[in-house]
Amino acid sequence: MRCAGRTELRGAFDAAAADFTALGRHLWEPIGAVAVSMACLQPGERVLDACCGTGASAIPAARLVGRRGLVDAVDLSEPMIGELWWLSKDLPQLRAHRADVTSWTAGGYDVVQSALGISCFPDMAAGTEHLISLARPGGRAVLTIWRDGAMLAAGRHLRRAITEATGVPPPQSREPRPVERINQVDSYVAWLRERGLVDVEVAVNRLALTMTPEVAWLVIAGSGFRGALAKVPAHALDAVREFYLASLRDEGMAELDATTLIGSGRRC
C-alpha cells in the first residue's frame, strides 16, 4: 500500500472500501493480528487504533479487551468507517469514528496502535509523536510499517500496465518518502526512540502473499494503489487489469513480499 497526497489517498480508500475488506483476509487481517499480538492487550484496557481502515487490528483488539475495555477506531474514510461499523456490530466496546487522528484529542490510552497508517500522515514524525502523546505515561505504542521492498513489485507491474493501456509514461523519479528512510530494523528502532519511546523493539513479520489472479488484482483495487487507477480513463481500466495480470505471469511472479516491521515501545 503506497500513500499519495492525503486528499488523493482518502479518495482512493473511499473508493476501495469493499475491495479493502475483500483483501483483508489475505493481507490486512494477518498483518493486523500479528501487530495486535505485540500489544499484549489485557481485558479492560483502553486502546486507540489509528488509521483503522475496516478494522483489521481494531476488531481483534476489541475482542481482547472485552466489554470492560474500549477501542476507539479512527479513520478519515467514511466508507471504511461504515464498513467497520457493520463488521463490529457485536462488539459494543469498539467505537468507530470518522475523524483525522492527527488532531484527535482524547488521551490516556493504555495502548495506541496503527497498522500501516503512520506513513500516510502529512508529517510522519509529528503525527507519530501526537499518537504517542495520547498514551498514558507508561502506556504502549505499537506501530507497523512496510519493510524495505515490501509491496513494491505490485506497483512496478501496475505502472507498466497503465503505460501499456494508456500510452502515458510513468512519472519521473521522485524524492524518497520519510518512511523509506527508516524501513529497516535498526533505522526504525532509532526513529521510534527519537519520537520519545523507551524499551523499543522492532519485530519482522514476514508475509508472502500468494498472487492468484483474484488476489493480485485485489492488491491494486483494495489498497492505496487504487489511487493510480483514478487517473486512468474508464474505458482503459479493463485493459490495465489484463496488462497487469499478464505482466505478473510473464515474470513468473507467484508471490508478493508483504513483510512488515512492527515497532513497539512505552511512552516515558
Side-chain angles (χ1 to χ4, degrees):
M1 179 170 55
R2 308 287 290 181
C3 295
R6 201 137 197 243
T7 301
E8 181 181 344
L9 181 72
R10 177 182 164 191
F13 285 139
D14 283 353
D19 291 324
F20 192 96
T21 301
L23 181 60
R25 66 186 180 92
H26 305 285
L27 184 61
W28 312 127
E29 291 173 16
I31 289 172
V34 175
V36 169
S37 72
M38 294 287 292
C40 300
L41 295 173
Q42 301 300 312
E45 288 194 311
R46 298 177 68 248
V47 179
L48 173 64
D49 189 294
C51 309
C52 62
T54 58
S57 54
I59 288 174
R63 291 185 176 130
L64 286 170
V65 301
R67 302 220 171 184
R68 293 188 295 108
L70 169 70
V71 176
D72 280 322
V74 182
D75 200 281
L76 273 172
S77 171
E78 188 170 348
M80 292 280 188
I81 289 298
E83 192 82 10
L84 174 55
W85 178 86
W86 177 259
L87 293 171
S88 62
K89 288 193 300 182
D90 62 336
L91 297 169
Q93 64 271 34
L94 193 159
R95 303 191 305 200
H97 309 267
R98 189 270 173 195
D100 183 349
V101 78
T102 63
S103 57
W104 189 256
T105 56
Y109 293 98
D110 298 295
V111 175
V112 295
Q113 61 183 31
S114 183
L116 303 171
I118 64 171
S119 62
C120 300
F121 292 158
D123 184 327
M124 184 177 170
T128 301
E129 288 167 8
H130 176 69
L131 277 190
I132 293 168
S133 76
L134 300 176
R136 62 171 174 78
R140 288 125 42 217
V142 180
L143 307 171
T144 303
I145 63 173
W146 296 115
R147 190 181 66 173
D148 183 28
M151 305 298 284
L152 293 183
R156 174 167 53 84
H157 286 280
L158 177 62
R159 290 190 295 273
R160 183 183 300 169
I162 290 174
T163 298
E164 290 282 346
T166 66
V168 178
Q172 298 299 312
S173 59
R174 57 172 178 78
E175 288 294 316
R177 294 173 51 245
V179 70
E180 294 169 337
R181 298 186 176 97
I182 62 168
N183 54 10
Q184 299 281 1
V185 171
D186 290 345
S187 56
Y188 193 32
V189 167
W191 188 84
L192 290 171
R193 286 174 176 160
E194 290 169 2
R195 310 280 75 76
L197 291 179
V198 297
D199 299 333
V200 173
E201 297 180 357
V202 170
V204 179
N205 176 29
R206 292 179 175 84
L207 178 62
L209 190 64
T210 301
M211 294 287 271
T212 65
E214 176 192 11
V215 171
W217 187 243
L218 279 175
V219 167
I220 303 303
S223 77
F225 288 125
R226 179 89 173 225
L229 298 182
K231 302 174 183 177
V232 176
H235 69 269
L237 287 172
D238 286 344
V240 168
R241 182 180 186 276
E242 294 308 313
F243 280 124
Y244 168 74
L245 294 177
S247 182
L248 296 177
R249 289 195 302 271
D250 291 346
E251 198 169 286
M253 186 177 155
E255 292 184 333
L256 177 66
D257 177 13
T259 300
T260 54
L261 300 179
I262 307 170
S264 61
R266 291 187 301 106
R267 180 189 170 191
C268 292

